[in-house]
Amino acid sequence: MDPAQVYTDPQLAEGLADSPLRATPAEAHGLLCGLLCAGAPEAEQRWRRELFDPNGEGGQPQDLPPSLWALAKHTRAEIEGAGLGLTLLLPGDQAPLRERAEALYDWTRGFIYGLGVAGLGVEGLSDQGREALADLAQITRMDLDDLEEGEEEENALMELQEFLWVAARLLHDERGHAGG
């Protein structure tokens, strides 16, 4: 899966168009990853409910749109696979820095939201897991208004992206395998 191609896939945007959350592709993917990494039972169904029926009004479609179902299936396979795979759904390196930073911010917010929906709390987490949660919260406080293009900012964004991957893997290892 090439995340840059999936991120800009019109079918993905179309699949999310009916979501009352108005989630970006990155935020929707972060939400799914949060659910999966926290070990939420029936994560895909919970993801569907959060995206399409967040108020519990029963308005969700019978199933996920095909583009979202394919993303969910791929993401679960990556997270639960034998390797250390997890491809964050973010724009490609050719996208402007601001767009990539906003997507990283959205992915992080979605991830934290998914952890919360799954009921993940700090109890039972290692010190490293609690620190990762605190650092995730810090990322959602990033000031994107003064973001300028430059090598230093590019490197910082890459480091944040790598941190997200590490934090997701850490939380999955601590909670996802434990079943919540």
Side-chain angles (χ1 to χ4, degrees), residues 17-74:
D18 293 331
S19 172
L21 290 182
R22 300 190 189 278
T24 65
E27 190 172 19
H29 188 249
L31 170 58
L32 175 62
C33 290
L35 289 165
L36 290 167
C37 288
E42 301 181 345
E44 292 85 354
Q45 289 75 17
R46 292 181 82 175
W47 186 51
R48 181 189 71 212
R49 280 193 305 269
E50 290 303 317
L51 286 175
F52 296 105
D53 191 26
N55 298 319
E57 298 169 355
Q60 79 269 22
Q62 289 297 318
D63 202 0
L64 285 169
S67 58
L68 293 177
W69 177 246
L71 177 62
K73 186 176 176 182
H74 178 82

Side-chain angles (χ1 to χ4, degrees), residues 37 79 84 166-178:
C37 288
I79 289 175
L84 295 176
V166 169
R169 294 306 309 175
L170 171 70
L171 294 172
H172 177 263
D173 289 348
E174 288 192 20
R175 302 297 301 162
H177 288 160

Side-chain angles (χ1 to χ4, degrees), residues 24-168:
T24 65
E27 190 172 19
H29 188 249
L31 170 58
L32 175 62
C33 290
L35 289 165
L36 290 167
C37 288
E42 301 181 345
E44 292 85 354
Q45 289 75 17
R46 292 181 82 175
W47 186 51
R48 181 189 71 212
R49 280 193 305 269
E50 290 303 317
L51 286 175
F52 296 105
D53 191 26
N55 298 319
E57 298 169 355
Q60 79 269 22
Q62 289 297 318
D63 202 0
L64 285 169
S67 58
L68 293 177
W69 177 246
L71 177 62
K73 186 176 176 182
H74 178 82
T75 301
R76 179 179 282 281
E78 278 192 328
I79 289 175
E80 294 180 352
L84 295 176
L86 174 57
T87 307
L88 306 183
L89 187 59
L90 301 171
D93 293 340
Q94 74 287 353
L97 180 68
R98 177 171 301 284
E99 180 182 340
R100 290 180 286 131
E102 288 172 353
L104 185 129
Y105 170 86
D106 287 348
W107 192 94
T108 306
R109 285 184 358 169
F111 186 72
I112 292 171
Y113 181 58
L115 296 174
V117 167
L120 180 80
V122 295
E123 52 285 333
L125 289 179
S126 68
D127 289 343
Q128 204 174 14
R130 285 193 289 275
E131 185 178 329
L133 279 178
D135 290 343
L136 288 166
Q138 280 297 114
I139 292 172
T140 65
R141 295 183 192 102
M142 280 191 315
D143 181 10
L144 300 175
D145 291 334
D146 295 328
L147 190 63
E148 295 179 19
E149 298 278 341
E151 189 174 333
E152 186 175 322
E153 289 78 9
E154 288 284 345
N155 290 336
L157 189 65
M158 186 60 69
E159 286 179 20
L160 284 175
Q161 188 172 335
E162 289 172 8
F163 167 76
L164 291 178
W165 183 88
V166 169

